[in-house]
């Protein structure tokens, strides 16, 4: 049974009509970068809860979450409408295994995210722990429109902080955007466009792929990497090349 604590909303950032971030202060236990918590509100006498990944580093007490409003959803429209000072319930303990400690040794770590699933990667990169063992890190954020790349400025700041080790690449599927690739991540891997743009190879001998986001993207990418790169899912009992987290 999850233990819930009361948090206070300190900030709500509206990025687009349906993308927003919420920052909460709450007495939660320590967590690992890449993990998630559950947020909840009581709605019509019922606790409505959803899992959201932390965007902030564990060393940052401002608990940040990146969300998309689902118009017909019970919880997200209410979170979208919240104001600073409002109270919200949050699980005291985080959960999830989408963390760097679960990633096997490799030279190049690929972080592929769609939409709001960029969150756990930003937490990992802001914390920075455990990343020294990789020669290169590639952060790919795929979205429908350029306006949906909410955290691009932070991604660029992180790129400077990592001083050549971190490569960032954005992908926009529904419009042409300077500096971004166009299309879907699986297709850009299949035709070599992503590797060409980044200047690094996805190779089973020295790469590990972390996939987070749209379940269809995750499945399609895993299939392409399995068929064309001889990569397999990573398991503790059988080390592999791909670690994934579905976002719904």
């Amino acid at each position: 049974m999850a233990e819930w604590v009361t948090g206070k909303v300190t900030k709500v950032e509206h990025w687009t009509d349906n993308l927003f971030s919420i920052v909460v202060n709450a007495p939660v236990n320590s967590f690992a970068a890449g993990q998630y918590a559950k947020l909840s509100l009581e709605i019509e006498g019922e606790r409505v809860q959803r899992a959201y990944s932390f965007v902030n580093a564990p060393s940052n007490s401002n608990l940040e979450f990146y969300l998309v409003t689902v118009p017909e959803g019970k919880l997200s429209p209410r979170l979208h409408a919240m104001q600073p000072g409002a109270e919200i319930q949050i699980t005291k303990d985080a959960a999830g295994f989408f963390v760097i400690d679960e990633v096997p040794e490799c030279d190049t770590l690929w972080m592929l995210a769609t939409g709001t699933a960029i969150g756990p990667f930003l937490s990992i990169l802001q914390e920075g722990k455990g990343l020294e063992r990789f020669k290169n890190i590639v952060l790919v954020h795929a979205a429908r429109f350029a306006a949906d790349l909410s955290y691009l400025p932070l991604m660029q700041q992180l790129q400077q902080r990592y001083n050549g080790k971190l490569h960032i690449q954005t992908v926009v599927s529904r419009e042409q955007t300077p500096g971004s690739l166009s299309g879907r991540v699986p297709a850009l891997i299949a035709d070599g466009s992503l590797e060409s743009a980044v200047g690094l190879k996805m190779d089973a001998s020295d790469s590990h792929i972390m996939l987070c986001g749209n379940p269809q993207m995750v499945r399609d990418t895993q299939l392409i990497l399995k068929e064309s790169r001889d990569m397999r899912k990573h398991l503790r009992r059988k080390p592999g090349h791909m670690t994934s987290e579905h976002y719904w």
Side-chain angles (χ1 to χ4, degrees):
M1 182 75 69
E3 182 179 353
W4 295 87
V5 296
T6 300
K8 182 167 287 188
V9 175
T10 61
K11 182 180 180 182
V12 181
E13 180 85 34
H14 298 281
W15 302 103
T16 67
D17 288 344
N18 66 338
L19 288 171
F20 67 102
S21 299
I22 185 170
V23 178
V24 179
N25 281 346
V28 298
N29 289 332
S30 60
F31 65 93
Q35 289 191 303
Y36 62 85
K38 290 183 178 179
L39 301 179
S40 80
L41 293 173
E42 185 171 311
I43 301 172
E44 298 175 356
E46 173 192 3
R47 181 192 294 278
V48 179
Q49 57 182 286
R50 298 289 185 271
Y52 299 106
S53 295
F54 292 99
V55 174
N56 60 292
S59 55
N60 184 349
S61 61
N62 294 311
L63 310 177
E64 184 172 356
F65 305 92
Y66 183 36
L67 292 77
V68 61
T69 304
V70 180
E72 66 277 13
K74 284 188 175 182
L75 185 60
S76 61
R78 286 172 169 81
L79 296 178
H80 188 245
M82 294 191 89
Q83 299 293 324
E87 291 188 344
I88 188 170
Q89 296 294 299
I90 181 172
T91 46
K92 188 171 185 177
D93 293 304
F97 298 98
F98 197 69
V99 297
I100 286 299
D101 285 351
E102 296 290 328
V103 175
E105 295 299 321
C106 66
D107 286 340
T108 302
L109 177 62
W110 293 77
M111 299 175 162
L112 310 183
T114 58
T116 56
I118 191 69
F121 292 133
L122 295 175
S123 179
I124 290 168
L125 288 166
Q126 288 183 95
E127 186 70 359
K129 294 180 179 178
L131 300 179
E132 59 282 342
R133 59 191 172 103
F134 307 112
K135 290 182 180 178
N136 290 288
I137 302 170
V138 182
L139 177 62
V140 177
H141 188 198
R144 295 178 305 166
F145 301 101
D148 298 335
L149 300 170
S150 311
Y151 285 92
L152 182 56
L154 176 57
M155 292 166 61
Q156 292 168 336
Q157 290 173 21
L158 288 166
Q159 187 177 36
Q160 292 182 336
R161 168 181 154 186
Y162 281 90
N163 196 27
K165 182 174 183 172
L166 175 63
H167 311 260
I168 64 172
Q169 180 61 55
T170 54
V171 177
V172 177
S173 62
R174 298 192 183 180
E175 63 183 3
Q176 296 291 326
T177 304
S180 295
L181 292 174
S182 179
R184 296 183 66 243
V185 169
L188 295 171
I189 293 173
D191 68 10
S193 297
L194 180 57
E195 291 158 292
S196 178
V198 173
L200 293 167
K201 290 290 185 182
M202 282 186 180
D203 192 284
S205 66
D206 64 5
S207 299
H208 191 86
I209 320 298
M210 295 182 77
L211 297 158
C212 191
N214 182 315
Q216 192 64 54
M217 182 279 287
V218 173
R219 287 191 293 268
D220 291 349
T221 300
Q222 287 174 331
L223 182 61
I224 286 168
L225 292 174
K226 178 182 178 181
E227 293 179 345
S228 66
R229 315 298 167 92
D230 198 28
M231 292 184 173
R232 62 180 180 272
K233 292 181 182 179
H234 175 66
L235 303 171
R236 282 181 172 178
R237 64 182 181 276
K238 187 177 181 181
H241 315 94
M242 299 181 286
T243 301
S244 65
E245 179 127 295
H246 291 192
Y247 236 53
W248 60 79

